Amino acid sequence: MRASCYTPLLLLSTLVLYLTPTEALDNGVVGPPPLGWSTWKTCGDASCTHDYCDEEEVKANALAMVNNGMLQLGYDYVLLDDCWASYRDPATNTLVHDGERFPSGMDGLADWLHNEGFKFGIYTSIGNETCSSGGRDITVPGSEGFFEIDAQTFSDCGIDYLKLDFCGNKKTPSYGLPRGKRYHEEFAQALLEAQATRENNGPPIFLEVVAGYWFARSDVGEIANSWRFCEDHHDDFQSTEEALLCLVDQSNEYIDVESSPGAWKYLDLSMVGGEGCSGPPSFTPHCPKQTSANYKLEFLTWTILQSPYIISTDVRNMTDIMTEALLHEEIVGLHQDVTCPPGTLLRHDKLHKQFLFGRTIGSECQEWLVVVANFSEDDREVSVSLKEDFGWDAADEEVVVTVRDVWEGVNLGEVKSGDYEVKVEGGGAEMLRFTKTAYIS
Ligand SMILES: *[C@@H]1O[C@H](CO)[C@@H](O)[C@H](O)[C@H]1NC(C)=O
Ligand SMILES: *[C@@H]1O[C@H](CO)[C@@H](O)[C@H](O)[C@H]1NC(C)=O
Ligand SMILES: CC(=O)N[C@H]1CO[C@H](CO)[C@@H](O)[C@@H]1O
């Protein structure tokens, strides 16, 4: 199995970094981070190879989202990953979909999904090949050399979202650096122009870039609505820790471009519940490679950071942890709430492998939401400091703070000042909400 996406490691040390404010890609995408489902780790049947997908699988998962409440809760993006294109027509130079997998074509599928209330997304690569073939014995052409034509084709078939990867001839060592930033700028421009041919310039096309951050750094918000900034995420607890450690690296050494409505840092796909198993006779809809505690941690950290949350497992067969997490109304509501800035990493205790993430919430941004994540072997309570972490210092004698366990949906009690000690399950996480509720006179 080839890696799904672009691997940036070799480039990091050679880039010049600039500190400038983020501008947003001006394509009309505004508002909260996307919620949805992707084909990438969802195996459709016993012939499963990542990323297998076809019309039947996509429609069945979409209908499951209608029936299990996901769509109603806001999971409205249905995204095809690297599995739909098959060749470039030599006469018209347009990309052609795999007709066996998608008998109705991309526009037929787009119409069907729009009719059910979903938004529709597809995938391409900015190099001359895509990163995978979706389990077929073919090389799938990328968009290099055809940015305008492809952008127009995608727009014409009615997409609402495009994942832009970077594979192909960039494997030539000297390939990526001189072209990476320019290509992303040109593609974003081509997509804007294609979108402008739509009636009333819309609906907008959400643009996700996989490698754009490594080339455009602090300018990434000008070329994308979401950007990856770490390695591919896998159904693996170590991979989850690595994803979160990328935030530590950024705050120490690299530019950290903050998210804002319409421009989101993306932790990559989520595999809560476990990806599907490959091939007969082992095929089952889920092969969990993590514990439920680990999946809870994954869900809580993705949501407090307001990463786009795209689930990539079989939602036709929801496991208990999937139902508990994905359909958690209060947490999904907080993830979608853009009144206050997105969560950030407040503290990382390297020795004890503990992370504290936080953001302000509430109509006045005066409450605090935190996630404490425990990757360690240590037996040690984690303390949240009202003063150090929230700056809640004033009139401390009079303030009473209520603490709520958001996952369990219960109030834990009150704390007056100082530290709040929270016990976190091994390899797990807790989400707490701190609200100043009363003043003692
Ligand atoms: C992509 O470019 C590489 C390097 O130039 C080349 O080896 C490969 O054949 C190209 N792929 C396609 C599909 O043209
Ligand atoms: C953190 O997890 C470890 C196991 O990985 C566990 O032994 C320890 O009790 C946990 N720490 C806290 C503070 O709950
Ligand atoms: C293995 C398994 O349980 N698969 C089921 C997943 O859900 C679909 C739709 O409900 C069923 O048809 C499968 O049998």
Side-chain angles (χ1 to χ4, degrees), residues 60 64 283-285 314 316-317:
F283 177 74
T284 59
D314 195 333
R316 286 169 297 186
N317 304 81

Side-chain angles (χ1 to χ4, degrees), residues 141-320:
S143 287
E144 186 183 36
F146 302 96
F147 293 168
E148 283 82 11
I149 292 178
D150 287 359
Q152 194 64 51
T153 306
F154 300 157
S155 177
D156 289 348
C157 77
I159 64 163
D160 306 285
Y161 186 112
L162 183 71
K163 172 174 174 177
L164 186 60
D165 212 338
F166 192 171
C167 277
N169 48 19
K170 63 99 188 157
K171 279 171 185 154
T172 316
S174 62
Y175 184 76
L177 266 184
R179 295 173 181 81
K181 189 174 182 195
R182 176 166 58 86
Y183 271 21
H184 282 87
E185 288 166 349
E186 287 173 3
F187 198 98
Q189 186 58 33
L191 208 56
L192 280 175
E193 284 164 19
Q195 186 181 307
T197 66
R198 292 177 162 192
E199 209 181 322
N200 301 321
N201 193 29
I205 300 170
F206 188 106
L207 180 58
E208 172 199 336
V209 294
V210 177
Y213 178 72
W214 283 277
F215 299 115
R217 305 303 290 202
S218 60
D219 295 333
V220 69
E222 290 172 38
I223 55 159
N225 299 113
S226 75
W227 55 90
R228 295 273 308 282
F229 59 95
C230 202
E231 301 292 312
D232 292 354
H233 181 239
H234 302 288
D235 184 13
D236 170 325
F237 196 48
Q238 200 184 335
S239 166
T240 300
E241 186 177 12
E242 280 164 11
L244 298 173
L245 282 170
C246 278
L247 295 161
V248 179
D249 288 347
Q250 285 184 6
S251 51
N252 291 341
E253 289 175 57
Y254 305 115
I255 290 172
D256 184 10
V257 187
E258 290 305 337
S259 296
S260 61
W264 301 103
K265 284 156 81 156
Y266 184 28
L267 283 159
D268 200 8
L269 299 162
S270 173
M271 265 73 70
V272 166
E275 60 188 62
C277 317
S278 304
S282 64
F283 177 74
T284 59
H286 299 281
C287 267
K289 298 189 179 72
Q290 304 182 60
T291 65
S292 291
N294 298 162
Y295 289 132
K296 176 180 169 186
L297 181 154
E298 181 172 316
F299 181 71
L300 293 182
T301 49
W302 261 236
T303 48
I304 195 170
L305 292 165
Q306 290 189 297
S307 164
Y309 191 80
I310 309 295
I311 184 72
S312 188
T313 65
D314 195 333
V315 292
R316 286 169 297 186
N317 304 81
M318 299 282 276
T319 64
D320 289 349

Side-chain angles (χ1 to χ4, degrees), residues 314-359:
D314 195 333
V315 292
R316 286 169 297 186
N317 304 81
M318 299 282 276
T319 64
D320 289 349
I321 184 66
M322 287 173 78
T323 303
E324 278 181 90
L326 306 184
L327 290 170
H328 200 299
E329 282 185 37
E330 186 173 347
I331 297 177
V332 171
L334 290 164
H335 174 255
Q336 294 289 288
D337 186 341
V338 295
T339 313
C340 312
T344 56
L345 176 64
L346 299 180
R347 279 192 280 126
H348 173 238
D349 178 342
K350 194 174 175 184
L351 185 64
H352 299 103
K353 301 182 82 172
Q354 287 155 359
F355 295 76
L356 179 68
F357 302 96
R359 62 181 291 222

Side-chain angles (χ1 to χ4, degrees), residues 335-411:
H335 174 255
Q336 294 289 288
D337 186 341
V338 295
T339 313
C340 312
T344 56
L345 176 64
L346 299 180
R347 279 192 280 126
H348 173 238
D349 178 342
K350 194 174 175 184
L351 185 64
H352 299 103
K353 301 182 82 172
Q354 287 155 359
F355 295 76
L356 179 68
F357 302 96
R359 62 181 291 222
T360 56
I361 50 166
S363 56
E364 310 280 324
C365 302
Q366 282 179 346
E367 295 171 67
W368 272 89
L369 186 70
V370 302
V371 168
V372 189
N374 175 21
F375 285 88
S376 83
E377 302 295 323
D378 292 355
D379 196 8
R380 189 171 155 276
E381 302 240 309
V382 184
S383 57
V384 180
S385 163
L386 304 191
K387 180 166 183 248
E388 301 298 326
D389 294 320
F390 307 158
W392 280 357
D393 199 12
D396 30 34
E397 304 270 306
E398 284 147 36
V399 174
V400 172
V401 175
T402 328
V403 186
R404 178 175 174 78
D405 180 331
V406 183
W407 176 269
E408 295 294 339
V410 294
N411 290 337

Side-chain angles (χ1 to χ4, degrees), residues 128-129 139-141 144 168-169 172:
N128 73 338
E129 292 170 9
T139 300
V140 182
E144 186 183 36
N169 48 19
T172 316

Side-chain angles (χ1 to χ4, degrees), residues 1-7 40-41 50 81-82 123 130-133 163 165-167 170-171 210 228 231-232 234:
M1 182 64 46
R2 292 162 71 182
S4 70
C5 295
Y6 179 70
T7 301
W40 176 247
K41 294 286 185 185
H50 305 147
D81 209 277
D82 190 356
Y123 166 106
T130 68
C131 301
S132 169
S133 64
K163 172 174 174 177
D165 212 338
F166 192 171
C167 277
K170 63 99 188 157
K171 279 171 185 154
V210 177
R228 295 273 308 282
E231 301 292 312
D232 292 354
H234 302 288

Side-chain angles (χ1 to χ4, degrees), residues 68-88:
N68 70 18
M70 286 178 71
L71 174 63
Q72 207 190 347
L73 205 50
Y75 293 84
D76 60 357
Y77 280 98
V78 167
L79 307 178
L80 307 188
D81 209 277
D82 190 356
C83 58
W84 66 271
S86 99
Y87 65 97
R88 191 175 290 284

